[in-house]
């Protein structure tokens, strides 16, 4: 499905990167640990997290994430969104918490990342 | 363009350098981000760029968390990329233990930011072809991660077009 469909399923607000919602999402990775994202998530993956600090955005950029979903209605500050280079990666905020976010996406066909497997 | 008979070791190299200070958490991500952009400009393959950026991110974060200060250098040669991290700090008492996934001595404040999962050194090892760690407790640590490039990865690097 596309990021636009992910947005609709999760009733999410687009914080930036609106013009890139046509990208196809195949896998997602939910985590609040930076190193686990770097080591376990494959490229072109959707990151689901409750972290809203600048580090998670740098991480998403470094690992070529397809987008970031902040759960529980959390949003990074406007200063972070506007001033940090996030490589045009779409950032979205959903009111759902992490379990429901994952459940909704999984039941709609999004797969989890498998360790060592490159999509 | 380099002469074909010029030995690889004598060809000019591109180097990036980042100074890392204690508790400067943002510099780690910024270093990785800048490294990624520079390597993309060189035309390296996406997967290699990602691996090198991850090494820089993790190495810089180790310096930020565990050392007093340090420096990360990324040396790009036609046949390899070397990430060299040198710090002045506490050193690593047990390298074998530090290489185990999940082992961490990071303080709670660091974990709350999403770091200190005990995956840093294992990640660096996973992303590199060779990893050497020299450490002295109470003095500091030198980490050298090497990623070898094959000709298909380095088409533009071989031309020397991006050397500075």
């Amino acid at each position: 499905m596309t990021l636009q469909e992910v947005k609709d399923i999760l009733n999410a607000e687009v914080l930036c990167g609106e013009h890139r919602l046509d990208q196809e999402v195949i896998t997602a990775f939910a985590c609040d640990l930076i190193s686990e994202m770097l080591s376990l998530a494959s490229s072109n993956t959707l990151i689901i997290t409750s972290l809203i600090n600048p580090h998670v955005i740098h991480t998403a950029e470094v690992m070529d994430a397809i987008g970031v979903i902040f759960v529980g209605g959390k949003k990074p500050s406007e200063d972070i969104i506007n001033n940090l280079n996030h490589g045009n990666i779409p950032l979205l905020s959903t009111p759902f918490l992490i379990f429901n976010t994952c459940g909704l996406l999984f039941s709609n066909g999004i797969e989890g990342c498998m360790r060592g497997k490159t999509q | 363009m380099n002469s074909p008979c010029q030995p690889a070791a004598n060809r000019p190299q591109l180097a990036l350098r980042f100074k890392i200070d204690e508790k400067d958490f943002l510099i780690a991500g910024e270093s990785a981000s800048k490294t990624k952009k520079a390597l993309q400009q060189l035309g390296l393959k996406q997967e290699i760029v990602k691996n090198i950026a991850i090494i820089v991110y993790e190495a810089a974060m180790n310096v930020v968390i565990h050392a007093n200060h340090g420096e990360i250098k990324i040396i790009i040669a036609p046949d390899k990329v070397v990430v060299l991290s040198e710090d002045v700090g506490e050193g690593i008492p047990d390298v074998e233990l530090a290489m185990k996934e999940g082992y961490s001595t990071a303080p709670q404040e660091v974990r709350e930011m999403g770091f200190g999962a005990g995956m840093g050194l294992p990640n660096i090892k996973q992303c590199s072809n060779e990893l050497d760690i020299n450490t002295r407790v109470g003095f500091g640590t030198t980490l050298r991660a090497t990623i070898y490039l094959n000709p298909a990865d380095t088409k533009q690097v071989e031309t020397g077009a991006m050397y500075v």
Side-chain angles (χ1 to χ4, degrees):
Chain A
M1 76 175 75
T2 62
L3 259 179
Q4 176 65 49
E5 289 171 285
V6 169
K7 170 191 175 284
D8 294 340
I9 288 168
L10 296 178
N11 193 21
E13 177 186 348
V14 182
L15 307 176
C16 68
E18 183 104 42
H19 61 292
R20 299 192 69 196
L21 297 185
D22 57 343
Q23 296 178 93
E24 196 69 22
V25 182
I26 297 168
T27 58
F29 188 84
C31 188
D32 284 348
L33 292 170
I34 299 287
S35 279
E36 282 201 2
M37 290 179 198
L38 290 170
S39 96
L40 301 178
S42 47
S43 300
N44 303 318
T45 284
L46 182 65
I47 299 290
I48 301 163
T49 185
S50 60
L51 292 175
I52 50 167
N53 58 35
H55 313 300
V56 74
I57 296 174
H58 274 308
T59 302
E61 192 221 341
V62 164
M63 54 171 288
D64 300 317
I66 208 159
V68 181
I69 305 283
F70 301 108
V71 299
K74 288 184 176 180
K75 298 173 197 171
S77 69
E78 285 193 12
D79 187 44
I80 290 176
I81 294 171
N82 295 333
N83 297 328
L84 205 68
N85 183 348
H86 41 72
N88 287 324
I89 295 173
L91 306 177
L92 292 85
S93 174
T94 176
F96 292 107
L97 295 178
I98 203 157
F99 182 81
N100 284 6
T101 300
C102 294
L104 282 165
L105 294 184
F106 189 80
S107 61
N108 278 279
I110 302 283
E111 294 176 19
C113 287
M114 299 295 285
R115 186 169 196 169
K117 183 181 168 189
T118 305
Q119 264 81 24
Chain B
M1 190 167 167
N2 293 305
S3 158
C5 54
Q6 190 178 15
N10 292 341
R11 287 178 196 162
Q13 295 179 330
L14 174 67
L16 302 166
R17 196 167 72 162
F18 302 102
K19 280 194 179 296
I20 314 285
D21 292 322
E22 185 185 21
K23 307 292 180 202
D24 186 358
F25 288 95
L26 272 179
I27 195 72
E30 285 169 7
S31 305
S33 188
K34 286 176 182 167
T35 301
K36 184 181 173 188
K37 275 184 195 69
L39 296 177
Q40 280 173 330
Q41 284 174 15
L42 285 172
L44 290 181
K45 274 167 54 177
Q46 183 192 17
E47 204 58 31
I48 288 177
V49 171
K50 180 181 157 187
N51 283 344
I52 296 166
I54 289 173
I55 293 170
V56 171
Y57 204 149
E58 295 285 16
M61 194 47 71
N62 277 346
V63 176
V64 171
I65 295 171
H66 299 291
N68 300 335
H69 59 89
E71 187 175 82
I72 308 269
K73 277 186 231 164
I74 301 100
I75 302 148
I76 304 147
D79 59 337
K80 65 185 173 187
V81 176
V82 176
V83 179
L84 186 63
S85 165
E86 294 173 300
D87 71 51
V88 174
E90 63 194 43
I92 307 170
D94 188 336
V95 175
E96 197 179 330
L97 196 55
M99 291 300 298
K100 279 182 75 172
E101 286 186 11
Y103 177 78
S104 175
T105 58
Q108 187 57 31
E109 51 162 340
V110 170
R111 292 173 198 246
E112 282 167 8
M113 281 187 273
F115 297 104
M119 300 288 282
L121 287 177
N123 265 2
I124 293 173
K125 190 175 183 188
Q126 185 185 311
C127 291
S128 55
N129 297 119
E130 280 176 21
L131 176 61
D132 295 309
I133 298 170
N134 287 303
T135 186
R136 273 184 75 196
V137 174
F139 289 88
T141 301
T142 300
L143 176 150
R144 185 185 180 90
T146 306
I147 301 94
Y148 290 106
L149 307 173
N150 65 48
D153 301 325
T154 65
K155 209 165 56 181
Q156 289 187 36
V157 180
E158 289 284 1
T159 69
M162 288 297 294
Y163 287 138
V164 294

